[in-house]
Amino acid sequence: MSTGQPNLPPRARSNAAGQKKKASSKKKRSPIATLARWFLIVCILVILGGAAYVGSLYLKAEDTILSTGNNNPVPPEKSASVKPLTMLILGTDYRPEHQTYLTDVVMVAAMNPETNTATLVSLPRDTSLQLKGYRSDRKLNSFYTTFRNLEKQGEAPAEERMKDMLGQYFDIPIDYVTVLDFQGFRDVVDALGGVDVNVQYNMCHRDSQDGTHINLKAGPQSLDGKEALDYVRYRKSMNCEVKTKESNDFDRNARQSEVLHSLIDQMKSFGGAVKAYKVLDAVGGNMTTDLENDQMKNIIKTYYDINKKDVRFVPITGQWRSPFVYINGDELQAAKQALQDELAGKHSKASEEAAENSASGS
C-alpha cells in the first residue's frame, strides 16, 4: 500500500506513518527551487574569504565555528588542507513568517585543496528520486522533513539519512552536511549593505499563504535582503492589479548569478571586509553542520583565496510532469563525472565546458 513516504526499512516506515498529511498540507508554495543555492555559495565563500582580509576576523570566525561545529579531532590525513572533501548542502525554506523545513535546495559540493577549486551540483526540489530503497512518488524536498520527524522518534539523525541517500544517488561518499535557511540569505545581504542589480522588468507577486509579497520596479538599484530574496525568487505574476512578465529558468539563473557575483565582489572589497563580522553572525545564526571545529578552520585556511571563477556550478534539469521533475539522465551522468573530476584534481576548463554542453543539450 502506497503511503507517499520514502521506502524506508520496516521500523522506520512504521514510525513515518501519519507524516503524509503534514507534508502534503505544504505543497502549495512559490516554486523557488534554485534560490538558496546562491545563498549557500555566498555563505561558504564569505566564511572561506573572511579571514583573508583582516586578521581579527579569524577570531570572529572561531566564535562562529564553536557555535556550529563539534570538537572531535581531525586526523592529519583527513584535513581539508590535504584531502578533497564532499559536502551535502541543504537549504530549507524556513523564515520567521514561514516556519517549515522543506529543502528547497539540495546540493552536493566537492572541494579540492590542490587545485583550490570547487564544484557544486544541484537538484530541483520537485525531483522524483529514482533510487533503489526510496519511493519515487515523493518529492525530493520532503525527505528531510520526514527524516527529522523520524529522528524525534528515536531513529537515525536526519542529516545522516540525507547524506546516505544523496551519496548513493551521486555514487560518491559524502563527508559532511550543512543546513542553512532563507533568513540567512536576507541577513547576509543586509550585513553587506545590500546588493546592486539591474532589474530588467517589473516584478509583482503576492501570496498570503507563504508570505510572498514581491513588488520590484525595473531599473538599476540596490536591494536589501528581503528585496534580494524577492528578486531571485520571482517566477510569475500573481494577485497583482497589473500583471508583470513571467520569468523562465534562464532568466532566474541569470539573476541568481548576478546577485552572487555582486555579493562576492562586495566581500572582496575593503567595505565587505569591515562588514564581515556581521556576515559571520548571519551565517552562524542560520547554519547547522557536522563539520568539526578544526576542519572548519582547515577549510578557511585552505580556501580563503578561492576565486569565484574557480567555483563551478553544475545544475541538473529534467522534464516537468506535474507534480514531479524527472531528471535528465545525461545531465545526471555529467554531474556525477564533474564531482568525480573535482575529487581527482581534474577541475579544468574542458570538463567545465563538457558539463555546460550537457546541461544545454548541445
Side-chain angles (χ1 to χ4, degrees), residues 136-149:
S136 60
D137 58 353
R138 187 79 168 173
K139 289 184 179 181
L140 176 61
N141 74 331
S142 68
F143 280 86
Y144 182 57
T145 295
T146 296
F147 292 154
R148 280 175 60 92
N149 289 327

Side-chain angles (χ1 to χ4, degrees), residues 186-194 271-272 274-280 282:
R186 299 196 292 204
D187 290 346
V188 167
V189 173
D190 287 337
L192 288 171
V274 171
K275 298 170 185 173
Y277 280 102
K278 293 182 179 179
V279 171
L280 289 170

Side-chain angles (χ1 to χ4, degrees), residues 22 45 73 79 106 141 157 261 332 335 338:
K22 180 177 180 181
L45 290 179
S79 169
V106 177
N141 74 331
H261 289 169
L332 177 59

Side-chain angles (χ1 to χ4, degrees), residues 12 46 51 55 132 161 165 172 177 216 222 225 227 243 317 342:
V46 296
K132 184 178 180 180
R161 287 179 180 269
M165 184 176 71
I172 59 171
V177 58
L216 297 173
S222 180
E227 293 167 336
K243 292 285 187 180
T317 63
E342 187 68 65

